Amino acid sequence: MNLTLRVWRQANRHEPGHFEEYYLRDLNPNMSFLEMLDVLNEQLTREGREPVAFDHDCREGICGSCGLVINGEPHGPGYRVTTCQTYLRAFRDGDTITVEPFRAAAFPLIKDLVVDRSAFDRIMQAGGFISVNAGSAPDANAILIPKDVADKAMDAAQCIGCGACVAACKNASAMLFVAAKVSHLNLLPQGQPEKTRRTLAMVQQMDAEGFGACTVTGSCEAACPKGISLNFIAKLNRDYLSALLLGK
Amino acid sequence: MGAVNMELKSQIPPGPLAQKWERHKANLRLVSPGNKRKYEIIVVGTGLAGGSAAATLAELGYNVKSFCIQDSPRRAHSVAAQGGINAAKNYQNDGDSVERLFYDTLKGGDFRAREANVYRLAEVSANIIDQCVAMGVPFAREYGGTLTNRSFGGAQVSRTFYARGQTGQQLLLGCYSAMCRQIAAGQIKMYPRTEMLDLVVVNGHAKGIVTRNLITGKIESHAADAVVLATGGYGNAYYLSTSGRGSNATAIWRAYRRGAFFANPCFTQIHPTCIPVSGDYQSKLTLMSESLRNDGRVWVPKKKGDTRPPNEIPEDERDYYLERKYPSYGNLAPRDIASRAAKEVCDEGRGVGPGGLGVYLDFRDAIRRLGRKRVEERYGNLFDMYHEITGENAYETPMRIYPAIHYTMGGLWVDYNLMSNLPGLFVIGEANFSDHGANRLGASALMQGLADGYFILPYTIGNYLATQKPDQRPKPDQPEFRAAEQQVRERVKKLLAIRGRKTVTEFHKQVGKILWDYCGMTRSRQGLERAIQLIGELREEFWENVNVPGSDEDLNQSLERAGRVADYLELGELIARDALTREESCGCHFRVEYQTPDHECLRNDRDFAHVACWEFTGDGNTPVRHIEPLIFEAVQPTERSYK
């Protein structure tokens, strides 16, 4: 198949960016979207032009490195898949595809399609952990956790931290990410001692990073490659309220 | 070059196997709490080994500098491990024990691992599960609230703990959260998007690294009292592998060039259950977790060139070759054996799918026995992943799988304390060689990474640090650092100056194909000699004809890859040379000249029950092969049979 790509090119956050158009011929529909960008980059390199910078690593949908806005949708048209798990069979021969970076004030651009998502790391550093030093744990089966609680915690814990929720949100809110992270730990018995402090600290850091407010439109859940549920945002709001009341 | 300690002292403590680690811990030198804060430790890599080590060392009070090439430590490729983590908990009451996990792992490695290390690994495995649960890792559970288990290849008990098909992710997020806590506390200084490009050796001791900031291109030196490498394996030398695209060998290869010995480089694991290659544009191969072989049955048609759709091939015309050849382990035969068996049936012309390079992994019987819902619960996300990649529904038609490079058992040589022959250089996780011998069992990589980082290195590193005076730590403006920085700068400039006609990827694909063809599932003297010659020629061409666009002063992903591929062009030759000199077959290393009448590995314990440790002797010189004899005190190596 043949495709036309409109790709966002920007040398760094200080220079203005623009779209460049590229034509790709004889692509295999079983190619992944990133493999198509590999082909483009090989072509650009041979032509003596600079390849397009984009983040990627595992290419199996789990590391959370990749993240492109494809035709206006974070991670593209696929349902619950990352960019790397998007295949050309999702497009039609002759299509023009627009490729942009995740856009949010809290994710400053680095180059082309690469953005800085370290705000997520700083939110985690504010409280996304259970304080237990190596060596001081009791026997694993001494902590009984009902299967449905463990399953629910796992539903939240599978967030890959890609940032698609932020890119999809009109307010660039990070509520779904923070909700997933807070809920994973707050649901588990091990997470109870630090629950109040964690909830307050992580929300505070989220605000300090400049993410927008949540108006519960649900675009985050729709864009999330792991299908993290909006219900976790409700839970975060609940946990936050009770943390405020407990006032620690 | 730093001074090289020529004697390989494994430092295995005396005494009965079961008491070695306990006694050793009691004899290790300690650093007092008040003194720990005076020491600086560099940890390179933030996967399970590096992440757990950085967090634990920081908890102990050391000052840690942690480096990773990804934008966040949470993305290291441990994140992609699917199936699970082994531990000798015996929660299933099915007869598991430390002894049994030890024996399975040693036998799984075809008796080419160090006995005392493997025993210690089995011993601390149970602590890992305790620690991870306490940190909030949501392992799968029974309705009563206790932890549940499944089985993996090479074991006859259920000792594998798991979190759906995302065990590696959950364990890594555990390490990452522990790191986050220490970063916030100021005990870890984190350097993301930073690549180590050289090791700095001062007076024969590893005392620092030279790094490149991948965003700004800035080249910098970092000094420390000890350096820990946790940079994973070198499977990407083969181009197509299940590794992350960024995983690379540069850190360990630069350390090798500075005098650290490289052990058993030819022990490269080829995993039997990966999604087959579909075209030459392909950038990586995706693993389908070994856990699928708990319920999936592997088969090919009995007839050659049978092109009927799988569901139309009647039962008596199917060859469930693993069940036929290895009745006691069946579909859970270890990886090396299952991979070779797949290659054998494909070589006979009975492979399925495009090019005949595939075998079926069939869930029809499991769905009949358990119902689709139970199968979905166990493997749902893996079936989804298979569907995303291939567009096929594995509930209705069998998966097609084929072997692919997955893990490297070889790595930098370390002693029992996980210290390399270069004092002060510690190597943990996949980057070292010590625990898996010639073949790693499933669910053991996560176990080893975390054992090293949480429970072994934090003890043993103190033994070294206690001999070092922190006020005499070298400064990053010393001549050794300046010289290493200069070499790094020159190499970067040289790569950018060539402006040849071939892209980095073309060279990478070529070296990968040479390794896969001649140093993959089967190897021969003639093929390996050819590989050494071809890689040498390709390396020469690379330095004359590679085209690296862009500059060294900003994010330049072509430049990053060029440096790594340049290293594969050296490492690839060492892999082939090691395979050539190991004149036996063992585990993953199958030399066609050395096989039993029924095509199994023919080990040669008299001449090759040793670790091959390679010493760099300068560019253009043949590296020197040293050996560390493997002494088995508790176990007598036997023929490794899974029949």
Side-chain angles (χ1 to χ4, degrees):
Chain A
M1 61 197 288
N2 301 328
L3 292 171
T4 304
L5 295 183
R6 292 178 68 234
V7 181
W8 185 259
R9 304 298 310 255
Q10 189 171 346
N12 56 56
R13 75 186 57 155
H14 308 294
E15 314 256 334
H18 63 280
F19 282 105
E20 269 181 36
E21 242 178 44
Y22 305 108
Y23 306 97
L24 291 172
R25 287 179 199 293
D26 301 325
L27 298 165
N28 184 322
N30 289 321
M31 209 178 247
S32 75
F33 199 84
L34 296 185
E35 284 166 352
M36 176 193 62
L37 291 183
D38 293 340
V39 169
L40 170 66
N41 279 344
E42 285 292 287
Q43 191 175 307
L44 292 174
T45 305
R46 282 199 206 94
E47 289 167 3
R49 296 200 276 169
E50 202 173 334
V52 180
F54 62 95
D55 264 331
H56 63 100
D57 192 28
C58 78
R59 297 208 175 186
E60 47 188 271
I62 192 75
C63 74
S65 296
C66 67
L68 303 176
V69 176
I70 302 168
N71 287 339
E73 290 180 275
H75 292 310
Y79 176 64
R80 291 191 180 171
V81 290
T82 53
T83 304
C84 64
Q85 297 299 73
T86 300
Y87 288 79
L88 295 193
R89 51 182 174 264
F91 303 92
R92 279 174 310 185
D93 188 22
D95 274 358
T96 296
I97 303 172
T98 305
V99 189
E100 294 166 87
F102 284 178
R103 297 190 194 273
F107 289 168
L109 187 129
I110 293 172
K111 183 177 181 178
D112 294 339
L113 304 172
V114 179
V115 297
D116 176 356
R117 290 168 287 190
S118 56
F120 275 7
D121 290 312
R122 289 187 293 274
I123 293 171
M124 291 299 286
Q125 288 154 20
F129 46 78
I130 289 170
S131 300
V132 53
N133 286 356
S136 56
D139 182 81
N141 263 348
I143 309 167
L144 294 180
I145 305 175
K147 184 176 184 301
D148 55 334
V149 174
D151 284 347
K152 207 167 171 191
M154 181 64 201
D155 288 342
Q158 58 184 337
C159 162
I160 58 173
C162 63
C165 47
V166 174
C169 177
K170 63 182 172 141
N171 297 336
S173 164
M175 274 293 270
L176 192 66
F177 168 78
V178 178
K181 293 293 154 192
V182 168
S183 299
H184 158 214
L185 299 175
N186 281 7
L187 278 163
L188 294 171
Q190 307 92 300
Q192 297 313 303
E194 292 167 290
K195 184 176 172 184
T196 302
R197 200 200 70 80
R198 169 185 310 120
T199 310
L200 293 175
M202 288 177 75
V203 169
Q204 191 182 18
Q205 187 64 36
M206 171 181 79
D207 291 340
E209 294 291 344
F211 290 104
C214 174
T215 50
V216 207
T217 65
S219 59
C220 51
E221 182 187 311
C224 176
K226 295 293 148 182
I228 305 287
S229 163
L230 214 51
N231 291 338
F232 289 118
I233 293 187
K235 177 173 165 50
L236 173 58
N237 283 327
R238 209 158 57 233
D239 286 0
Y240 185 67
L241 185 65
S242 66
L244 280 180
L245 293 171
L246 286 168
K248 285 184 195 165
Chain B
M1 283 245 341
V4 172
N5 172 12
M6 296 300 296
E7 265 180 88
L8 285 172
K9 287 195 181 141
S10 63
Q11 308 285 0
I12 298 169
L17 193 58
Q19 291 167 27
K20 283 184 193 291
W21 178 231
E22 280 307 315
R23 282 196 193 178
H24 189 61
K25 280 197 285 187
N27 293 329
L28 286 170
R29 283 179 292 253
L30 293 171
V31 177
S32 75
N35 282 337
K36 284 199 177 88
R37 61 173 169 266
K38 297 177 186 162
Y39 288 93
E40 297 266 353
I41 302 173
I42 283 172
V43 182
V44 188
T46 58
L48 290 182
S52 58
T56 308
L57 294 171
E59 285 164 8
L60 288 170
Y62 294 112
N63 299 299
V64 177
K65 278 183 170 181
S66 167
F67 297 82
C68 71
I69 53 174
Q70 297 86 354
D71 68 329
S72 163
R74 64 168 292 155
R75 307 207 199 279
H77 197 60
S78 303
V79 80
Q82 298 167 354
I85 176 166
N86 286 331
K89 278 289 198 185
N90 194 30
Y91 282 161
Q92 303 306 321
N93 202 27
D94 59 358
D96 199 10
S97 62
V98 168
E99 299 293 330
R100 210 177 273 278
L101 174 54
F102 154 69
Y103 185 75
D104 284 351
T105 309
L106 196 70
K107 175 185 167 194
D110 214 353
F111 305 96
R112 289 292 174 266
R114 199 187 276 148
E115 194 184 57
N117 286 52
V118 179
Y119 194 90
R120 175 176 63 185
L121 176 65
E123 227 177 324
V124 303
S125 65
N127 304 72
I128 297 171
I129 303 304
D130 299 342
Q131 178 62 25
C132 292
V133 166
M135 298 167 76
V137 172
F139 284 122
R141 288 180 182 266
E142 304 289 349
Y143 283 102
T146 53
L147 292 155
T148 189
N149 294 101
R150 60 186 171 201
S151 311
F152 255 62
Q156 290 176 313
V157 294
S158 286
R159 62 161 75 99
T160 306
F161 294 79
Y162 62 99
R164 293 188 193 148
Q166 292 123 286
T167 316
Q169 180 203 22
Q170 293 309 313
L171 296 173
L172 185 67
L173 290 179
C175 293
Y176 165 72
S177 71
M179 282 184 78
C180 282
R181 178 173 156 234
Q182 296 305 322
I183 293 169
Q187 283 303 120
I188 297 180
K189 185 154 170 39
M190 186 69 225
Y191 294 83
R193 293 200 197 262
T194 306
E195 180 164 17
M196 167 182 162
L197 292 180
D198 211 347
L199 178 78
V200 182
V201 179
V202 181
N203 299 328
H205 287 237
K207 288 294 169 192
I209 60 173
V210 176
T211 60
R212 180 171 181 271
N213 179 319
L214 298 181
I215 303 296
T216 63
K218 191 173 175 205
I219 287 162
E220 269 186 308
S221 289
H222 300 270
D225 298 286
V227 176
V228 181
L229 297 187
T231 52
Y234 48 90
N236 270 343
Y238 286 74
Y239 188 68
L240 284 181
S241 82
T242 65
S243 298
R245 291 271 289 172
S247 303
N248 68 80
T250 288
I252 55 172
W253 191 251
R254 295 286 119 191
Y256 163 77
R257 291 177 57 94
R258 291 284 174 190
F261 287 3
F262 208 122
N264 297 335
C266 80
F267 288 171
T268 53
Q269 178 164 77
I270 295 177
H271 196 295
T273 55
C274 301
I275 299 178
V277 177
S278 62
D280 59 2
Y281 51 82
Q282 192 138 354
S283 60
K284 77 155 278 164
L285 295 171
T286 303
L287 176 74
M288 289 281 100
S289 167
E290 179 161 310
S291 62
L292 291 166
R293 288 197 277 143
N294 270 292
D295 290 308
R297 299 179 69 194
V298 177
W299 65 276
V300 289
K302 283 187 179 163
K303 262 198 319 220
K304 280 184 193 179
D306 191 336
T307 53
R308 285 176 290 176
N311 294 336
E312 287 172 21
I313 299 178
E315 196 59 24
D316 60 349
E317 292 181 42
R318 298 174 174 203
D319 179 13
Y320 294 93
Y321 58 88
L322 286 177
E323 296 171 23
R324 171 172 59 80
K325 289 171 78 171
Y326 308 101
S328 58
Y329 283 75
N331 293 296
L332 283 174
R335 292 174 176 177
D336 52 339
I337 288 174
S339 290
R340 262 196 305 280
K343 182 178 190 300
E344 215 173 272
V345 295
C346 292
D347 288 350
E348 289 165 18
R350 298 195 286 141
V352 298
L357 291 177
V359 300
Y360 291 125
L361 177 61
D362 197 340
F363 289 84
R364 184 195 64 184
D365 296 347
I367 291 170
R368 278 185 196 158
R369 178 165 47 90
L370 303 164
R372 177 165 164 161
K373 193 166 170 288
R374 290 277 298 283
V375 171
E376 246 180 75
E377 255 179 37
R378 285 184 192 172
Y379 312 110
N381 70 313
L382 298 170
F383 278 58
D384 290 349
M385 194 152 119
Y386 184 78
H387 179 253
E388 284 156 19
I389 293 172
T390 62
E392 291 172 22
N393 181 348
Y395 295 104
E396 283 158 16
T397 184
M399 289 182 180
R400 280 179 301 111
I401 53 169
Y402 197 69
I405 288 283
H406 177 57
Y407 184 89
T408 51
M409 283 74 69
L412 293 184
W413 184 87
V414 289
D415 63 14
Y416 188 74
N417 292 323
L418 304 180
M419 188 162 85
S420 118
N421 57 303
L422 280 181
L425 178 68
F426 291 79
V427 191
I428 58 177
E430 190 180 351
N432 77 22
F433 86 101
S434 67
D435 294 3
H436 305 296
N439 172 60
R440 179 175 66 74
L441 290 184
S444 287
L446 306 186
M447 171 171 71
Q448 187 222 338
L450 292 180
D452 287 359
Y454 282 134
F455 296 111
I456 300 171
L457 179 82
Y459 289 89
T460 58
I461 201 168
N463 191 55
Y464 169 76
L465 291 172
T467 66
Q468 303 295 303
K469 293 193 170 62
D471 53 353
Q472 288 169 17
R473 178 170 59 241
K475 304 278 178 294
D477 54 4
Q478 273 185 216
E480 291 87 348
F481 284 88
R482 288 280 165 257
E485 265 182 47
Q486 192 51 33
Q487 285 170 22
V488 167
R489 277 198 193 93
E490 279 166 15
R491 192 161 184 265
V492 166
K493 296 264 183 249
K494 195 171 162 192
L495 285 167
L496 285 166
I498 300 167
R499 301 281 171 193
R501 287 184 310 278
K502 257 164 84 170
T503 64
V504 174
T505 307
E506 287 174 87
F507 282 103
H508 194 179
K509 282 183 177 173
Q510 271 184 285
V511 68
K513 184 157 184 346
I514 297 169
L515 285 170
W516 179 251
D517 286 348
Y518 298 114
C519 204
M521 277 181 280
T522 58
R523 301 149 181 204
S524 70
R525 164 171 290 282
Q526 205 186 2
L528 291 164
E529 283 170 348
R530 176 115 184 94
I532 292 171
Q533 185 204 338
L534 289 174
I535 294 172
E537 288 167 13
L538 192 64
R539 187 169 58 236
E540 264 180 46
E541 191 198 342
F542 177 90
W543 285 104
E544 283 161 10
N545 197 27
V546 72
N547 176 9
V548 186
S551 92
D552 61 345
E553 285 168 358
D554 74 338
L555 178 63
N556 185 343
Q557 294 169 324
S558 306
L559 176 63
E560 292 167 24
R561 277 186 295 118
R564 296 166 194 169
V565 171
D567 287 341
Y568 295 143
L569 286 165
E570 297 177 15
L571 167 59
E573 184 179 319
L574 190 71
I575 295 174
R577 194 173 294 284
D578 185 47
L580 181 65
T581 47
R582 186 169 282 280
E583 295 175 332
E584 64 163 350
S585 294
C586 58
C588 69
H589 173 64
F590 189 78
R591 282 280 300 265
V592 293
E593 302 95 326
Y594 311 101
Q595 51 181 307
T596 63
D598 48 356
H599 309 301
E600 302 291 342
C601 280
L602 187 60
R603 233 175 40 222
N604 176 352
D605 287 339
R606 202 195 58 191
D607 300 319
F608 289 96
H610 60 237
V611 184
C613 314
W614 294 91
E615 182 192 5
F616 179 70
T617 51
D619 284 314
N621 298 334
T622 308
V624 176
R625 187 179 194 267
H626 302 270
I627 61 167
E628 179 207 335
L630 289 168
I631 295 151
F632 296 95
E633 293 173 4
V635 166
Q636 267 319 305
T638 53
E639 191 192 341
R640 178 173 168 250
S641 168
Y642 291 93
K643 290 193 166 154

